[in-house]
Amino acid sequence: NFLFTVWNLTFIHGGDDSFFQKRFHDILNFCREKDSKKAYLVLIIEMFLDTNLDTNAKQKGVPVVLSGISDIIEVDREKSRILLFRVVRMLSREAIEKENADVFPQDCYLLSDAFIDKKVRVSLLDLCFDINVQTVTDQRGPAYLSFAALCIPFLCIATEEDRSYKEEKQSLKWILDNVAWILSSQRKLEPDYQQIVPTALLLDAFSTVAGAIRQKCQFSWLRKLVSCCASHTWALVKMYPESLWVTKSAASLCKVLCYHDMRIHDDINTVFEVLLPNLSNENHYQRLHSLQILNSYPQLPYIVNHADLDLSDDLDEESDKNPASTKNVSELNGCCDIIDTLLKIESTKPNVETERAIISMITRAGLISKSGRLPVFYAETLANHLIGIFHLKYSSLWSAASSALRELSKEYLPILCSKISDTLSNLLCPIVAQVEDTTSTCTDPYTHHDLCVAWDVSKGRDRRLFRLEINSDSKNGVVSPFLSTDRESVLVEVLKVVQAVPEITAKHSRRIVPMFVAFLQNQYYLFHDSDPGARELKLDKLFPDDSNWQKDMLSRKMVNQRLLSFLNMFAEVKGSQQLFQRSLLLSIFKTFLSHQDANVARVALRCILNFSSPRFDKYSTILNNLLKQDGLRDALLMIPISPESDVIQSDDRE
């Protein structure tokens, strides 16, 4: 009763922040003296963490709370870990409201102004260091490492100035020792995310601490440790480039490596090959962090096209009568900044104010590609990232990305064809339903670790870890970077690009046609099993497919929209003789002439006319009139059936 009375007096009638800090410190001292088991001390600290205090009060109380936690360590180390974790998470929640696009939400606690007494800091760091992956046999061992990765940067950064950095050096070595041991045991074919996630979090913590030291002073030992960390990080990236946490840790390290004029890996070609697929990933942070890694390398120069060089001065000839025609080409000199441009696009939060600037950057990237002077790796980077833009949950940017892809196709068609085919194959595969955001709370390091793993395993679709951030963005009326466009909308946009660039269908028909047939077999006829084409075509015998599509994964509207998109794509192809399985496609299109949706029937007719002999073009008006809504009777009356009529040639009547 006494403690609760004092608590109410402190927080309700506490006066200014300095008075609150002193009164709170007195309460904790009272608990230390009167309770040898520290039960009251734990109670007061938990009350502090659970009470809805203002930001200043929490900032003033954190050093006192951490001092109290250090006293609990000798009695209950497990409880101390949970309390320390809750303090760090509390500071993170407070900092989320601060707009800072450069700080990942998990790292918001680093924005805190709290400072820790050196003795307390050493005690709490020891609490983290007594977790050793080589000796911990508990199943919660990976969660212990994730806890240490979260707390060590906070304890190293939130402290006084003018020190020897002894604890920081010890922290960095401890991290590298544990990472090296984990990497030496990673020999499984299937990724073990229970080990991958804490390893990536530890490497991220290393980068945070090393970066903070480098901003204040330079040490030779720091450069050696950073070099060792780069080796470990690249090994992890090479093994698991699709891991969200691994890519984040590598991006964090690249910022530190730039200080030391070092790179995560010497071979830029290998780095591009490993990370390029990430740029079309549906997760914003996977694209962002991959671009940050690629942007840490020196820019490559534009390819010189000798045919465009103006040598008139050297030859004493008259200059081009139209200097504007060579102006754009001459501007593309020196180093190409396309990676930096793409990074700016990905880093800018899309909204009404920034929409115009983002579209301008996307358009510029497309125009640069049109020149044909991009290095091959940069062209592949652009193709991947423009498709990645479709995943941004901001539809106003999609048309600009589509236009840029069309510009890219004019000089880099083989690159775009390959990427589009891979994207379609991925989008047409069934996936596990997206996990709904629940109200699960993250109040202990074990739940936090499980949510970190779930975010990585689900490729960012399980967003429970970032529920607070998403809710905050929703209240502020902004698009959360954790949300992405639904796969169906992305598929429609990609098919629109293929429709606008029919050369993609023509050149990659051996991949695209089987995709279309598999779609009909496993998706469309799943809803239209009574369709005559399902029985007549016998597609399952021509192209066996093991896709495990279930009816609850789809909807009738979805499959009809996909069908229409596919048909529009084929309708734009000229010279259909070069297409794979041309006769089968023609048979498929004929079955859709009797489709109940007039739009489908009309597009199917366009496909047939394109696939048929050019002499049938003169009948297109007659045939299209037959498919008009409520116009069949009039269209039939207008068709001359007399053999003497020369409108329909005798050879074409059948």
Side-chain angles (χ1 to χ4, degrees):
N1 289 337
F2 169 75
L3 288 175
F4 277 97
T5 301
V6 175
W7 177 266
N8 290 331
L9 288 173
T10 302
F11 287 97
I12 298 177
H13 309 289
D16 58 19
D17 295 334
S18 59
F19 177 81
F20 160 76
Q21 187 177 19
K22 182 179 183 305
R23 179 67 65 86
F24 188 33
H25 192 273
D26 292 340
I27 295 175
L28 293 183
N29 284 337
F30 173 83
C31 294
R32 290 188 182 98
E33 296 172 0
K34 299 298 182 181
D35 180 20
S36 60
K37 295 183 179 180
K38 305 296 188 296
Y40 288 160
L41 191 59
V42 172
L43 177 63
I44 290 296
I45 293 175
E46 289 181 335
M47 290 174 64
F48 170 81
L49 295 171
D50 293 334
T51 304
N52 187 20
L53 304 174
D54 61 73
T55 302
N56 290 332
K58 286 186 176 181
Q59 292 284 355
K60 293 292 184 180
V62 165
V64 186
V65 167
L66 294 176
S67 174
I69 294 175
S70 66
D71 288 341
I72 303 172
I73 293 177
E74 60 185 27
V75 178
D76 190 342
R77 302 184 74 83
E78 184 66 19
K79 190 65 178 179
S80 301
R81 290 192 187 99
I82 294 176
L83 292 176
L84 177 58
F85 168 82
R86 291 190 61 189
V87 170
V88 175
R89 288 289 293 175
M90 178 195 71
L91 293 174
S92 180
R93 289 196 300 271
E94 291 297 317
I96 285 175
E97 299 299 329
K98 299 181 181 179
E99 286 292 331
N100 194 321
D102 296 329
V103 179
F104 187 72
Q106 274 294 98
D107 305 331
C108 280
Y109 64 88
L110 299 176
L111 300 174
S112 171
D113 298 326
F115 285 92
I116 311 170
D117 178 74
K118 183 175 182 179
K119 183 178 178 181
V120 174
R121 183 168 72 109
V122 171
S123 175
L124 295 176
L125 281 173
D126 288 340
L127 179 65
C128 298
F129 294 155
D130 69 355
I131 305 167
N132 193 309
V133 70
Q134 303 179 43
T135 58
V136 173
T137 58
D138 193 324
Q139 293 182 350
R140 296 186 295 183
Y144 288 148
L145 294 177
S146 298
F147 157 78
L150 183 70
C151 297
I152 286 176
F154 168 70
L155 296 173
C156 289
I157 293 175
T159 187
E160 69 279 0
E161 303 290 338
D162 301 327
R163 44 198 170 79
S164 63
Y165 295 96
K166 176 182 177 182
E167 289 77 19
E168 282 80 352
K169 184 176 181 180
Q170 183 183 5
S171 300
L172 296 179
K173 287 184 174 180
W174 179 87
I175 289 174
L176 291 181
D177 289 343
N178 282 276
V179 169
W181 192 91
I182 294 175
L183 288 178
S184 65
S185 63
Q186 287 290 310
R187 295 292 183 267
K188 296 182 179 180
L189 296 178
E190 293 295 329
D192 182 6
Y193 284 94
Q194 288 292 334
Q195 296 291 339
I196 296 172
V197 170
T199 305
L201 292 175
L202 285 173
L203 290 171
D204 197 23
F206 179 99
S207 302
T208 303
V209 176
I213 298 174
R214 174 59 182 78
Q215 291 177 0
K216 298 173 183 177
C217 55
Q218 298 185 29
F219 294 108
S220 58
W221 57 262
L222 179 60
R223 182 179 177 85
K224 294 179 181 178
L225 293 178
V226 169
S227 177
C228 181
C229 184
S231 176
H232 292 328
T233 304
W234 174 247
L236 199 63
V237 171
K238 195 172 182 180
M239 285 192 290
Y240 311 110
E242 72 285 352
S243 170
L244 303 176
W245 291 115
V246 169
T247 310
K248 178 185 181 300
S249 67
S252 300
L253 180 64
C254 285
K255 298 176 183 178
V256 180
L257 291 171
C258 290
Y259 293 141
H260 299 275
D261 195 23
M262 299 166 62
R263 301 290 179 265
I264 193 172
H265 187 62
D266 294 333
D267 188 359
I268 185 175
N269 296 339
T270 304
V271 176
F272 269 84
E273 289 175 359
V274 170
L275 294 178
L276 275 179
N278 290 347
L279 301 182
S280 58
N281 193 281
E282 65 183 83
N283 186 272
H284 158 73
Y285 286 103
Q286 185 75 322
R287 300 191 301 270
L288 175 65
H289 295 144
S290 297
L291 284 171
Q292 289 174 345
I293 298 171
L294 298 178
N295 200 45
S296 66
Y297 285 85
Q299 296 177 349
L300 298 177
Y302 286 103
I303 295 175
V304 177
N305 187 348
H306 295 280
D308 294 331
L309 293 178
D310 184 6
L311 304 177
S312 58
D313 291 340
D314 296 338
L315 299 176
D316 294 330
E317 295 179 356
E318 293 184 4
S319 60
D320 193 339
K321 295 181 180 179
N322 185 14
S325 63
T326 59
K327 181 178 180 181
N328 292 335
V329 175
S330 63
E331 289 178 352
L332 300 179
N333 294 322
C335 294
C336 179
D337 63 346
I338 195 71
I339 302 294
D340 185 61
T341 300
L342 298 181
L343 181 57
K344 289 178 181 177
I345 293 172
E346 196 65 48
S347 303
T348 306
K349 286 188 174 182
N351 52 49
V352 177
E353 289 76 17
T354 62
E355 176 185 322
R356 190 171 183 178
I358 297 175
I359 291 176
S360 176
M361 289 187 285
I362 296 174
T363 303
R364 177 179 178 272
L367 293 176
I368 292 176
S369 69
K370 185 180 178 180
S371 70
R373 297 180 58 184
L374 284 177
V376 175
F377 277 128
Y378 283 5
E380 292 178 345
T381 301
L382 180 59
N384 279 269
H385 189 253
L386 288 175
I387 292 175
I389 290 176
F390 291 140
H391 292 286
L392 283 174
K393 205 173 179 65
Y394 201 83
S395 58
S396 301
L397 306 179
W398 299 348
S399 59
S402 297
S403 299
L405 284 169
R406 291 195 294 272
E407 298 291 350
L408 181 69
S409 69
K410 296 177 181 178
E411 294 292 337
Y412 300 96
L413 183 60
I415 292 175
L416 184 59
C417 286
S418 177
K419 184 56 195 176
I420 289 288
S421 298
D422 293 340
T423 303
L424 287 176
S425 178
N426 176 265
L427 292 172
L428 289 170
C429 290
I431 62 169
V432 179
Q434 180 172 305
V435 177
E436 294 293 333
D437 295 331
T438 64
T439 57
S440 60
T441 56
C442 185
T443 57
D444 61 78
Y446 314 111
T447 304
H448 174 263
H449 170 77
D450 291 339
L451 294 181
C452 286
V453 172
W455 187 61
D456 210 349
V457 171
S458 67
K459 309 304 179 188
R461 299 185 191 104
D462 187 332
R463 300 183 290 265
R464 290 174 293 169
L465 179 65
F466 306 103
R467 179 177 55 84
L468 293 175
E469 291 85 340
I470 294 173
N471 291 342
S472 176
D473 288 336
S474 178
K475 291 178 181 178
N476 295 329
V478 298
V479 179
S480 174
F482 292 99
L483 303 178
S484 60
T485 311
D486 62 280
R487 290 168 63 89
E488 185 62 23
S489 298
V490 176
L491 176 60
V492 170
E493 292 300 318
V494 173
L495 288 174
K496 285 181 181 178
V497 173
V498 182
Q499 179 182 346
V501 188
E503 294 84 359
I504 297 176
T505 307
K507 291 183 178 296
H508 274 242
S509 63
R510 287 191 173 273
R511 290 193 64 186
I512 293 178
V513 171
M515 290 180 201
F516 174 57
V517 174
F519 156 72
L520 294 176
Q521 176 185 344
N522 300 307
Q523 301 177 50
Y524 181 77
Y525 290 137
L526 197 64
F527 279 90
H528 302 82
D529 51 354
S530 60
D531 192 299
R535 300 185 299 273
E536 297 172 4
L537 297 173
K538 300 179 181 179
L539 300 178
D540 55 332
K541 294 182 179 180
L542 294 173
F543 294 99
D545 190 89
D546 56 356
S547 298
N548 190 24
W549 280 100
Q550 303 295 328
K551 204 166 184 177
D552 57 357
M553 297 179 180
L554 303 163
S555 67
R556 188 175 296 272
K557 180 181 179 181
M558 180 188 298
V559 295
N560 288 342
Q561 177 62 48
R562 290 185 178 185
L563 173 64
L564 197 56
S565 298
F566 268 114
L567 293 178
N568 277 313
M569 178 187 72
F570 284 112
E572 296 299 326
V573 178
K574 306 300 180 183
S576 61
Q577 290 77 8
Q578 59 187 317
L579 290 183
F580 179 65
Q581 291 287 345
R582 177 180 178 276
S583 59
L584 173 63
L585 288 174
L586 192 56
S587 300
I588 292 174
F589 299 151
K590 289 179 179 178
T591 64
F592 289 119
L593 287 177
S594 58
H595 198 279
Q596 59 184 0
D597 187 342
N599 291 326
V600 173
R602 279 194 291 268
V603 179
L605 176 60
R606 285 177 54 204
C607 294
I608 294 173
L609 292 175
N610 281 347
F611 276 48
S612 302
S613 174
R615 73 173 189 268
F616 286 99
D617 291 345
K618 57 187 177 183
Y619 305 127
S620 60
T621 302
I622 296 175
L623 295 173
N624 279 307
N625 288 336
L626 292 173
L627 299 176
K628 284 184 178 180
Q629 191 76 20
D630 300 328
L632 178 61
R633 180 176 179 275
D634 294 338
L636 288 173
L637 292 174
M638 296 300 295
I639 298 177
I641 60 175
S642 172
E644 290 78 16
S645 173
D646 58 353
V647 176
I648 302 178
Q649 301 298 322
S650 58
D651 294 340
D652 299 334
R653 286 181 176 273
E654 183 181 352

